[in-house]
Amino acid sequence: METSMRVLSHVDGSAVVSNNGTKVICSVSGPMEPKSRQELPTQLALEIIVKPAEGVQSTREKLMEDQIRSVLTPVLARYLHPRQFVQICFQVLEAGESKDYTVKEVSVGINAAVLALVDAGVPLLSMCTGTCIGITSEERRLIVNPTEPELLECASVHVFCLELGTDENEKIDVRNVLLVDSLGTFDESQLFQVLETGEKECIRLYTELRSVIKDKVSRDFVWKQ
Amino acid sequence: MSRFEIYSPEGLRVDGRRWNELRSFNCSINTHPNAADGSSYLEQGNNKIITLVTGPQEPASRSQVNTKQASLSVTINLTKFAKMERSKSSHKNERRTLEWQTSLVRTFEKNLMLHLYPRTSIDVQVHVLQLDGGILGAMLNGITLALIDAGIAMYDFVSGVSVGLYDTTPLLDLNSLEENAMSSVTIGTVGKSEKLSLLLVEDKVPLDRLESVMAIGIAGTHRIRDLMDKELRKHGKTRVENLTN
Amino acid sequence: MAKDIEISNSESKFILEALKLKQRLDGRACDQFRDVEIELGEAYGDVTVTMGKTKVQCRISCEVAQPYEDRPFEGLFHITTETTPMAGAQFENGNNTGEEEVLISRMIEKAVRRSGALDVEGLCIIAGSKCWSLRADVHFLDCDGGLIDASCIAVMTALLHFKKPDVTVLGEKVTVHPVDEREPVSLGVLHVPVCVTFSFFNPDDTEENIKGEHNGEISIIDASLKEELLRDGVLTVTLNKNREVVQVSKAGGLPMDALSLIDCCHKAYGIVEKITDQIQRAIKQDSIARNQYAHILSSENARES
């Protein structure tokens, strides 16, 4: 996974994440004043926009927006900014999958969003990471982060997203499953396998994202030493 | 290509004009005295345009209020019967129309003394009854006349015309047949100066020919300015006569 | 626009006073174009152009479609420019009827599509029934002025870079060969238009500008966002290397002397030449990088030439 943060200058936070042929740029603006119809009286309102690499927005992008929203909503400390509003834009730079799938874009997008939110300084309750896993139709083998040709060999693909945090003893603790979205045919045992592998992968991503953020913070606050 | 000879070896164009001749130009102002504060009717060749100006008046909504100067808006109504073939769409939200509207607003913003009318709005409606090439130039002329009729302070006339380049000959004031056959340049000049408020080149023109095309265009706009000036003075005279009688 | 960006009085005064002394905030000369960085992606027709802080991505894609009935020999070509709040808070999501948005998209449309930069007849597969439908999606990622110039460079580079899958026609049957099966073919690009934008400022009062003989207006090339917000007039010139003016647009704004406008066009030509060369260079480098193994795989004998 390749990441870079603060790539855009006119938004409050931004990040690019690319992983196995999928590349998504995410920007975060806010918390700012909402239009009156978007305003929530007790909580922070969210607007999520996903733009495809090719063509115009369709129901496919709306689905992705909805999935990403369901993942990000519980992670944000929304009670801290009542009557305010955060705008999160995703622009898919390289889809890395055909129009029939959304798994790679969603999982990469979620990771980019976390980095961009941190960059923008929007308070989070915990972190979340997303990954996608495919199961091949022939050998029933699990592939974490399949490439485009691998995706075509899969009987089923799954997006898996966890809410994670670190407790007082610096131990990683898995707090919640935020999203499991499966496409294709699979059985119960396979799903459990996916959950197991997904958890490992999400924890790995979590440590990776944390080190990226740590690096950035130590660079940004170099003047403090 | 087309059945017509765009520019004959004798130097005549489709409608019998020479290269540097304008189409017939007729205009009158105060044509709709009960409908608007200022109005004009303009015929530039087969272009027929009615322009109505209302304002300075109170803006329709609070958000349009500008405390420093008047806010100007232009709406173009390209009627469905304006062309030879009746068009199905109303052209209202076409990008081309929106672009024209923005261009016209931006042209007149710099030529009107808008700072004299803060917190007001000035609305211009252009109704194109018949369309025959060089419409943007004609709209400039129509709006100038209507604004003068409305008595809104201006620095000078804005007059517009289109010029084409046929091979190496610049042709002044194109009609739609000519416009389709060659690249055209629309020029909007301020008064009798060489200052251009509007300049649009929409098709390929060799860089080194641009100057000669612009020169003939500027001469054309100056001529149009004189024609408009003459009409305005005539109109003024009859008004004064009516008052004294 | 969702929210207009406002510049404080003192900042705008500072910028204007500096411009009178021929100084710009980013240290450029008045007639200096920002350095253009062209990045070509892994896929054909994926180009990111960076000019200072302005960043634009263009992507070309194609599919087989039916040509228009009145133009059976031509393929379809569309350019879409959609703005998102990603480029800056002044852009609203999904609103493409704002003044600025319409002008940008019309300008690119005129510069590239209407000027015939792309040979649309080359997109025809079977006259009247099948053709390629090509679309260029322009994504504005970051806006610090000069969106038109950057987008035009991005679209033209992407068109030069893009390759469409090869097809074989047997009677009415069309076979599209996947890229890994047969070498894809480049598009027919007839000329490379490049846009250069000039911004005008009026240091004197309006009367001097309209009536005076002084012609003291300041003109600068490739304004940044702040300069764009403060300018009194704008001129976008599109030229190609053959010394052809493809499109000029000075849609109102500060009236400018005709001769100084012509002078702008000539200045623009120098920049256009430079940028065209840079585009060609980037394309060439990319094709060399992609074909580094070609000479090993080729069965041809090396020839002295």
Side-chain angles (χ1 to χ4, degrees), chain B residues 68 93-100 102-113 115 155-157 190-191 193-208 210-212 214 218, chain C residues 96-97 99-103 105-106 110 114-115 191 206-212 215 217 232 234-235 239 243-259 261-262 265-266 269:
Chain B
K68 295 211 179 82
N93 286 319
E94 267 177 31
R95 276 163 187 267
R96 192 181 54 161
T97 317
L98 293 173
E99 190 198 6
W100 281 344
T102 322
S103 307
L104 290 170
V105 168
R106 293 194 178 174
T107 308
F108 282 98
E109 256 174 2
K110 291 286 173 196
N111 290 299
L112 290 174
M113 298 184 192
H115 58 273
Y155 287 103
D156 210 329
F157 284 72
V190 182
S193 69
E194 299 218 327
K195 298 238 169 168
L196 300 188
S197 201
L198 184 110
L199 172 67
L200 287 175
V201 182
E202 303 233 298
D203 265 306
K204 281 185 208 161
V205 175
L207 182 54
D208 307 304
L210 197 60
E211 197 167 340
S212 65
M214 272 159 75
I218 289 171
Chain C
N96 290 318
T97 50
E99 265 182 28
E100 204 65 32
E101 284 91 331
V102 170
L103 284 186
S105 73
R106 278 285 290 172
K110 274 195 242 172
R114 284 193 37 184
S115 75
H191 65 107
T206 328
E207 257 129 279
E208 175 61 39
N209 165 245
I210 289 180
K211 300 285 179 195
N215 288 336
E217 297 86 359
D232 296 308
V234 52
L235 164 82
L239 295 158
R243 287 188 82 80
E244 279 173 322
V245 178
V246 170
Q247 185 255 131
V248 174
S249 164
K250 183 188 180 303
L254 194 70
M256 287 292 288
D257 186 56
L259 285 176
L261 291 181
I262 298 234
C265 293
H266 284 283
Y269 181 69

Side-chain angles (χ1 to χ4, degrees), chain C residues 60-294:
Chain C
I60 311 264
S61 52
C62 67
E63 59 186 18
V64 177
Q66 195 173 8
Y68 290 128
E69 268 171 32
D70 51 337
R71 290 181 177 168
F73 303 107
E74 289 179 13
L76 313 179
F77 176 42
H78 297 284
I79 305 175
T80 53
T81 44
E82 276 198 34
T83 52
T84 54
M86 185 178 272
Q90 72 271 38
F91 298 108
E92 209 171 326
N93 180 37
N95 178 11
N96 290 318
T97 50
E99 265 182 28
E100 204 65 32
E101 284 91 331
V102 170
L103 284 186
I104 293 174
S105 73
R106 278 285 290 172
M107 203 77 79
I108 299 168
E109 177 101 1
K110 274 195 242 172
V112 179
R113 210 165 82 101
R114 284 193 37 184
S115 75
L118 180 72
D119 174 26
V120 279
E121 287 183 8
L123 297 174
C124 178
I125 303 171
I126 299 175
S129 70
K130 279 185 184 68
C131 69
W132 285 111
S133 164
L134 202 71
R135 61 179 301 146
D137 290 295
V138 183
H139 307 307
F140 303 122
L141 302 181
D142 205 349
C143 165
D144 189 29
L147 275 185
I148 293 173
D149 304 6
S151 314
C152 187
I153 298 173
V155 172
M156 285 322 298
T157 320
L159 285 176
L160 285 166
H161 187 229
F162 186 71
K163 291 191 171 165
K164 60 178 194 283
D166 201 6
V167 288
T168 343
V169 183
L170 260 177
E172 280 290 289
K173 208 175 154 224
V174 178
T175 323
V176 178
H177 301 284
V179 178
D180 46 356
E181 206 171 273
R182 252 197 217 188
E183 188 62 17
V185 283
S186 301
L187 300 171
V189 175
L190 303 175
H191 65 107
V192 182
V194 175
C195 298
V196 179
T197 302
F198 294 79
S199 300
F200 302 124
F201 296 86
N202 186 16
D204 311 309
D205 60 355
T206 328
E207 257 129 279
E208 175 61 39
N209 165 245
I210 289 180
K211 300 285 179 195
E213 296 290 310
H214 172 53
N215 288 336
E217 297 86 359
I218 303 166
S219 86
I220 58 168
I221 291 181
D222 187 24
S224 68
L225 183 64
K226 277 183 182 155
E227 290 163 339
E228 269 188 9
L229 290 169
L230 292 173
R231 69 188 170 197
D232 296 308
V234 52
L235 164 82
T236 302
V237 187
T238 312
L239 295 158
N240 60 23
K241 244 188 133 176
N242 316 333
R243 287 188 82 80
E244 279 173 322
V245 178
V246 170
Q247 185 255 131
V248 174
S249 164
K250 183 188 180 303
L254 194 70
M256 287 292 288
D257 186 56
L259 285 176
S260 61
L261 291 181
I262 298 234
D263 192 42
C264 285
C265 293
H266 284 283
K267 262 190 205 162
Y269 181 69
I271 293 167
V272 169
E273 258 189 326
K274 240 193 263 166
I275 291 176
T276 317
D277 286 342
Q278 197 190 343
I279 294 175
Q280 306 284 15
R281 235 183 2 255
I283 295 288
K284 206 169 170 191
Q285 268 171 9
D286 182 72
S287 77
I288 291 172
R290 277 169 197 267
N291 284 324
Q292 54 179 328
Y293 302 114

Side-chain angles (χ1 to χ4, degrees), chain C residues 33-38 49-52 150 153 222 275 278-279:
Chain C
F33 207 77
R34 279 178 283 192
D35 284 339
V36 180
E37 202 182 295
I38 300 173
V49 168
T50 317
M51 273 163 53
I153 298 173
D222 187 24
I275 291 176
Q278 197 190 343
I279 294 175

